[in-house]
Amino acid sequence: MDKYIINGGRRLEGQVRVQTAKNSVLPILAASVLTDEKVTVLNVPDITDVRNMVKILGCLGCRAVYRGDDVIVESSCANNCEIPRALAHELRSSVFLLGSVISRFRRAKIAYPGGCDIGLRPVDLHLTGLKRLGVKITESNGYIVCECERLTGNEIMLDCPSVGATENIMLAAVRAEGTTVIENAAREPEIEDLQNFLNSMGAKVRGAGSGTVVIEGVKRLGGSVYQPIADRIEAGTFLIAAAMCGGEVELCGANAENLSSLLHKLRENGCKIRIKNDKIYLRSERRPVSVKSIETQPYPGFPTDLQAQMTALCCVSSGNCIITENLFETRFKYVPELRRMGADITVVDRSAFVRGVEKLKGAVTVAHDLRGGAALVIAALAAEGDSEVLDISHIDRGYARFEYKLLSLGAGIKRVGV
Ligand code: UD1
């Protein structure tokens, strides 16, 4: 497995183009099974989650290929409704395929999904929602088996605003008979993006981005050429890195509105931020001042996917901060690794208490999940001396060309095969 060797303490300066959002591309690729016509998804990031999704589409009998930066899917030859265990374990988003595969074949069989080990990550809301549309669900030997004669629209109230459950139900409902209303739907920008993509195929979906999504079933969907939104989590990771290392960074192709909870915190930290069209400019000249508290919440609250990176920033800010993780139980696995670098953090239940230190020191750390891994990299960039971050395959799941982008900003980072 590859590792990063990082020489810390350098300012970050320059311009970075934000990648297309992983969390948009994955459900959009899953949705491509809903049509027999060609779907082209533009500027897809080269990350392992996407590569695994492309492999899964191949297993379903679709022709899914990369052409340059784009992914082209032709599903007219899809002939298999089973998602093999090995691939489902590689990629949690394989669960989104339930909605589209059941819609297409009236049957779907999928092993319980994998993904980051950041807590229980149940799929009960996905399954309850599908049942409300008429799907019969049985579970055996670690497989979820879904069957139905037909899909019928219904009203569905989610117990909590789950991103994946909202998207899965949308995918199952677009070609159902009648109208589906999802209440307490997740409001993440990627859900609105999925709506826009589905509508570009001829679907009738409205309300995404609010708590109520209405899907009027249509008989058929056509092809589409679609550019998904920018990756707000990748963008946020670069902004936090610049805040932590000091310097001036400009992000191009970003959407500041989708990042407002982070931008508020970074301004409180003392960073200068300017926004113009699709550009976000951040300047950080002195040691950041700690914000008092951060609580992860569903959108538009502070994203859980930036919690680890923000905790890293708090480690070198002046003052104390309490970071509370409300979405996933075990999302503090990176904390012992940051402690190896001299961070002063105590975790009690769902909260991390951080007392800022002047400097972190280089150390050897291990990435345990995608965002925790990114946090270790930016901590190492800001630390004094040399660090290693091991097991970076986790980071490759979500950040395309991560080290090249950091190198272009002047970071001292190199990938080494182990
Ligand atoms: C998506 C994102 C992930 C992000 C998360 C929260 C993708 C591919 N992944 O994950 O990057 O961290 O949103 O913003 O888009 N829950 C249940 N039962 C369910 C489903 C979820 O109890 O059936 C709970 C979860 O345990 C969690 C909360 O709901 O506490 C939110 O999870 P959810 O929004 O579903 O996250 P994902 O869709 O898995």
Side-chain angles (χ1 to χ4, degrees):
M1 248 184 276
D2 290 2
K3 66 179 180 184
Y4 281 137
I5 297 181
I6 293 167
N7 176 252
R10 306 186 192 184
R11 274 169 66 86
L12 299 185
E13 262 174 43
Q15 207 180 47
V16 171
R17 175 151 288 278
V18 180
Q19 71 185 29
T20 300
K22 163 177 99 68
N23 288 354
S24 277
V25 168
L26 293 171
I28 284 172
L29 286 175
S32 64
V33 176
L34 292 165
T35 176
D36 275 342
E37 293 179 21
K38 187 159 95 178
V39 168
T40 305
V41 188
L42 301 173
N43 296 308
V44 170
D46 187 7
I47 51 180
T48 39
D49 269 11
V50 170
R51 288 188 173 269
N52 281 326
M53 182 56 100
V54 165
K55 271 193 217 159
I56 293 178
L57 291 171
C59 281
L60 296 175
C62 309
R63 226 176 73 82
V65 292
Y66 284 86
R67 189 187 295 154
D69 290 335
D70 308 333
V71 170
I72 298 169
V73 187
E74 281 176 79
S75 300
S76 51
C77 41
N79 57 3
N80 175 28
C81 62
E82 187 170 329
I83 295 164
R85 196 183 296 267
L87 279 177
H89 280 165
E90 286 291 320
L91 178 66
R92 181 179 162 83
S93 307
S94 51
V95 78
F96 298 123
L97 281 153
L98 268 186
S100 47
V101 173
I102 187 80
S103 167
R104 168 134 198 167
F105 293 104
R106 300 287 179 260
R107 185 182 153 83
K109 185 174 171 188
I110 176 174
Y112 265 103
C116 272
D117 180 15
I118 53 173
L120 288 170
R121 301 195 85 159
V123 289
D124 55 313
L125 300 175
H126 301 236
L127 302 185
T128 311
L130 294 178
K131 279 185 198 158
R132 296 276 297 158
L133 300 180
V135 179
K136 204 169 121 272
I137 297 174
T138 46
E139 295 172 49
S140 76
N141 282 335
Y143 273 88
I144 305 167
V145 183
C146 299
E147 283 162 306
C148 67
E149 304 244 308
R150 66 160 73 96
L151 291 164
T152 315
N154 207 341
E155 283 170 21
I156 297 166
M157 165 67 88
L158 294 178
D159 286 346
C160 70
S162 156
V163 174
T166 303
E167 293 174 337
N168 222 342
I169 296 164
M170 286 165 73
L171 293 178
V174 273
R175 294 201 322 181
E177 285 169 28
T179 301
T180 299
V181 181
I182 311 173
E183 298 283 5
N184 198 24
R187 294 188 279 161
E188 267 67 3
E190 292 77 15
I191 291 172
E192 201 174 338
D193 207 21
L194 178 62
Q195 164 181 285
N196 293 342
F197 171 68
L198 290 169
N199 288 344
S200 77
M201 298 166 87
K204 288 192 176 157
V205 186
R206 60 181 192 274
S210 79
T212 306
V213 180
V214 180
I215 306 124
E216 283 174 56
V218 295
K219 284 229 156 22
R220 62 174 295 282
L221 293 174
S224 175
V225 177
Y226 193 77
Q227 170 63 61
I229 58 172
D231 195 316
R232 61 196 166 97
I233 306 302
E234 190 216 20
T237 303
F238 280 104
L239 292 175
I240 297 170
M244 209 172 160
C245 294
E248 290 179 59
V249 166
E250 185 173 70
L251 300 183
C252 316
N255 181 330
E257 206 183 308
N258 294 346
L259 271 166
S260 62
S261 60
L262 172 70
L263 297 179
H264 272 103
K265 293 289 177 195
L266 291 175
R267 285 195 171 109
E268 270 184 66
N269 280 133
C271 298
K272 297 275 173 287
I273 294 172
R274 277 205 318 266
I275 294 154
K276 194 167 179 209
N277 302 325
D278 72 340
K279 292 194 171 62
I280 305 177
Y281 166 87
L282 179 142
R283 186 155 61 92
S284 160
E285 287 308 341
R286 49 190 90 80
R287 186 175 174 204
V289 181
S290 204
V291 295
K292 294 263 167 313
S293 66
I294 297 165
E295 280 213 29
T296 63
Q297 299 287 357
Y299 190 84
F302 193 89
T304 174
D305 286 352
L306 288 173
Q307 179 260 103
Q309 301 89 314
M310 202 60 186
T311 303
L313 173 61
C314 292
C315 288
V316 292
S317 302
S318 60
N320 304 335
C321 183
I322 304 175
I323 297 118
T324 304
E325 172 56 56
N326 290 310
L327 275 87
F328 296 111
E329 303 81 11
T330 59
R331 229 174 180 180
F332 285 126
K333 284 194 173 164
Y334 62 89
V335 165
E337 309 296 328
L338 284 181
R339 279 208 207 102
R340 278 184 227 260
M341 304 179 77
D344 185 350
I345 313 177
T346 315
V347 176
V348 180
D349 298 329
R350 286 173 168 263
S351 294
F353 296 81
V354 182
R355 285 160 295 268
V357 296
E358 194 78 39
K359 283 271 175 213
L360 294 175
K361 291 184 184 56
V364 177
T365 61
V366 183
H368 297 289
D369 60 62
L370 167 58
R371 306 303 171 186
L376 296 178
V377 170
I378 64 177
L381 293 175
E384 271 175 352
D386 293 331
S387 293
E388 290 189 13
V389 181
L390 312 183
D391 273 9
I392 57 172
S393 59
H394 293 289
I395 299 171
D396 294 335
R397 284 190 36 225
Y399 293 89
R401 300 171 46 78
F402 196 35
E403 67 270 26
Y404 295 106
K405 287 185 168 182
L406 288 168
L407 273 171
S408 78
L409 296 177
I413 179 166
K414 81 173 172 207
R415 176 186 291 260
V416 177
V418 183

